[in-house]
Amino acid sequence: MQRRLFLKNSLKTLGAGAAAGAAAPFISTASAQQTITWDMVTSWPKNFPALGTGANDFAARIERLSGGRMKVRVHGAGELVPAMEVFDAVGEGTAQMGHSASYYWRGKTLASQFFTAVPFGMNTTETNAWLYHGGGLELWDEVYAKHNLKPFPVGNTGTQMAGWFKKEINSLADMQGLKLRLPGLAGEAMNGIGVTTVNTPGSEIFTSLQTGVLDAADWVGPYNDLAFGLHQVAKYYYTSAWNEPSAILEGTVNLEAWNALPDDLKAVVSEAAMASNLAMISEFAVRNAEALDTLVSEHGVELRTFPEEVLEALYASSQEVLQKQVEADEESRKVYDSYTAFQQKVQRFTDVGEFAYLKTREKVGA
């Protein structure tokens, strides 16, 4: 409580000083104003490709757009707090900012999972439309305010892979008893078909596969998976992207720190978050393509898709998991109702627009 009160009073003082000298949003110099310095804790190894560097990019944009009035020091997982303690650290004021993924916090608030990925849910374009134009951000604010947090989408991996498996999956029976690293709602759905899932930090995946603690693991996609060398400890790479058709990375701000900012710096943080979101999506599109070619051409990775009976079982299990959660948690129901209604709305055009085009492109061999 003393730490939170100190943070609150200190930031109010800084905010007042910054506001007094501001001439206009985005146009200012640090010379006549007191610089605000924040710490950002993350769930990623320091400077890890796209995820860690995405946090760096967010911090750099804030400093650049604020004309140097606001600086953010980025800390990798374990430097200030462990990877899986970002949510609490920011909410309690240990750091003013965080960068992570919301589905890690299901033990804190079940509804958080909808703000990373929903099995068989919306793609990245559809998800961003929900957040920015369909009420998704407002719901996210509402859920996180109870934990003293202000959230933003700050990156997205796009469609993720289904993961690395040490053995080939030819039937539903082959899934039984596997130990799989897979967080969120998709992990619960896997549990429903006989798989044991765990939420292992990314930095521990390689060793866990190598030593047999895990039989299979989902991480992100080719770019990040290659960086961790997962192809060295598992042979089969599954492309059946049912689990995370879109995966949002979140930026969080301590709510008291946020409220202490002058309006122009709030705008800086908001615009920096949106720009960083787009930048990461674009980077993953090209880096995943390059890394996939390396994995297949240079390392002999074998691409596979799950058998139809496995995907059908996963869909049925996903629906059961979702229904069970929304029946037990009113906050989850509110978010899920908004999410599914928006998906039904935008999917009609996705099907006759983007999906129809992709099928046409494949058909003509373009």
Side-chain angles (χ1 to χ4, degrees):
M1 177 62 75
Q2 290 178 340
R3 178 172 56 192
R4 182 177 291 182
L5 183 61
F6 173 78
L7 174 65
K8 182 176 182 180
N9 291 336
S10 299
L11 286 165
K12 281 184 176 178
T13 300
L14 288 170
F26 307 103
I27 304 172
S28 61
T29 61
S31 58
Q33 298 155 348
Q34 194 166 9
T35 301
I36 297 174
T37 301
W38 281 3
D39 288 298
M40 181 194 297
V41 291
T42 78
S43 293
W44 327 119
K46 184 72 171 179
N47 299 323
F48 187 72
L51 305 182
T53 58
N56 296 344
D57 175 70
F58 183 30
R61 288 178 190 275
I62 290 172
E63 182 172 350
R64 187 165 61 251
L65 291 175
S66 69
R69 287 170 56 203
M70 193 170 180
K71 299 181 184 294
V72 180
R73 297 176 297 209
V74 181
H75 305 274
E79 290 186 350
L80 285 184
V81 299
M84 296 303 173
E85 293 184 16
V86 170
F87 186 91
D88 286 341
V90 179
E92 293 170 0
T94 301
Q96 295 88 352
M97 300 187 78
H99 194 268
S100 189
S102 67
Y103 60 7
Y104 293 152
W105 321 129
R106 68 178 304 275
K108 310 292 182 181
T109 169
L110 287 170
S112 68
Q113 298 173 99
F114 295 107
F115 301 107
T116 299
V118 177
F120 299 98
M122 289 188 280
N123 66 23
T124 300
T125 300
E126 294 168 333
T127 298
N128 276 339
W130 174 61
L131 290 171
Y132 294 128
H133 300 287
L137 274 177
E138 290 78 4
L139 285 169
W140 202 354
D141 279 338
E142 183 179 324
V143 171
Y144 271 35
K146 299 173 184 177
H147 302 274
N148 202 37
L149 295 168
K150 168 74 176 176
F152 296 93
V154 185
N156 195 310
T157 68
T159 302
Q160 292 199 4
M161 301 288 278
W164 296 87
F165 287 72
K166 290 184 174 182
K167 71 174 186 179
E168 192 169 8
I169 305 301
N170 296 308
S171 68
L172 186 57
D174 289 337
M175 301 290 287
Q176 306 308 300
L178 289 181
K179 294 171 291 183
L180 167 69
R181 187 269 180 194
L182 180 62
L185 294 163
E188 294 182 62
M190 273 288 190
N191 291 337
I193 68 166
V195 176
T196 299
T197 61
V198 294
N199 188 12
T200 306
S203 58
E204 299 176 14
I205 294 174
F206 182 95
T207 302
S208 296
L209 283 169
Q210 187 179 47
T211 60
V213 172
L214 292 174
D215 301 307
D218 151 88
W219 177 224
V220 181
Y223 185 39
N224 288 152
D225 295 1
L226 177 63
F228 269 159
L230 299 184
H231 60 282
Q232 299 173 44
V233 286
K235 181 177 181 179
Y236 301 102
Y237 200 21
Y238 277 80
T239 69
S240 312
W242 67 280
N243 49 327
E244 298 184 40
S246 172
I248 305 162
L249 282 304
E250 68 173 10
T252 49
V253 179
N254 176 278
L255 193 54
E256 293 164 13
W258 173 257
N259 290 335
L261 284 180
D263 287 345
D264 66 323
L265 289 185
K266 287 180 180 176
V268 163
V269 175
S270 297
E271 294 301 315
M274 185 177 291
S276 295
N277 189 31
L278 174 61
M280 187 183 291
I281 292 166
S282 303
E283 181 181 7
F284 265 115
V286 63
R287 301 303 183 200
N288 275 336
E290 294 168 346
L292 181 63
D293 183 62
T294 298
L295 287 168
V296 174
S297 301
E298 297 182 20
H299 299 294
V301 166
E302 298 190 34
L303 297 176
R304 295 288 187 273
T305 59
F306 287 140
E308 187 173 337
E309 67 169 332
V310 172
L311 289 173
E312 289 175 349
L314 286 170
Y315 179 75
S317 183
S318 297
Q319 297 308 299
E320 290 175 8
V321 165
L322 290 164
Q323 192 59 36
K324 181 179 179 180
Q325 179 166 319
V326 300
E327 287 176 356
D329 182 59
E330 185 58 37
E331 196 170 57
S332 292
R333 175 173 290 281
K334 187 174 183 180
V335 177
Y336 181 65
D337 285 349
S338 170
Y339 184 98
T340 54
F342 196 83
Q343 180 173 345
Q344 291 171 4
K345 177 181 180 179
V346 297
Q347 188 170 320
R348 288 192 290 270
F349 180 71
T350 300
D351 289 346
V352 302
E354 188 169 346
F355 182 58
Y357 164 68
L358 292 175
K359 289 193 296 182
T360 298
R361 185 172 70 178
E362 180 181 34
K363 185 177 181 179
V364 301

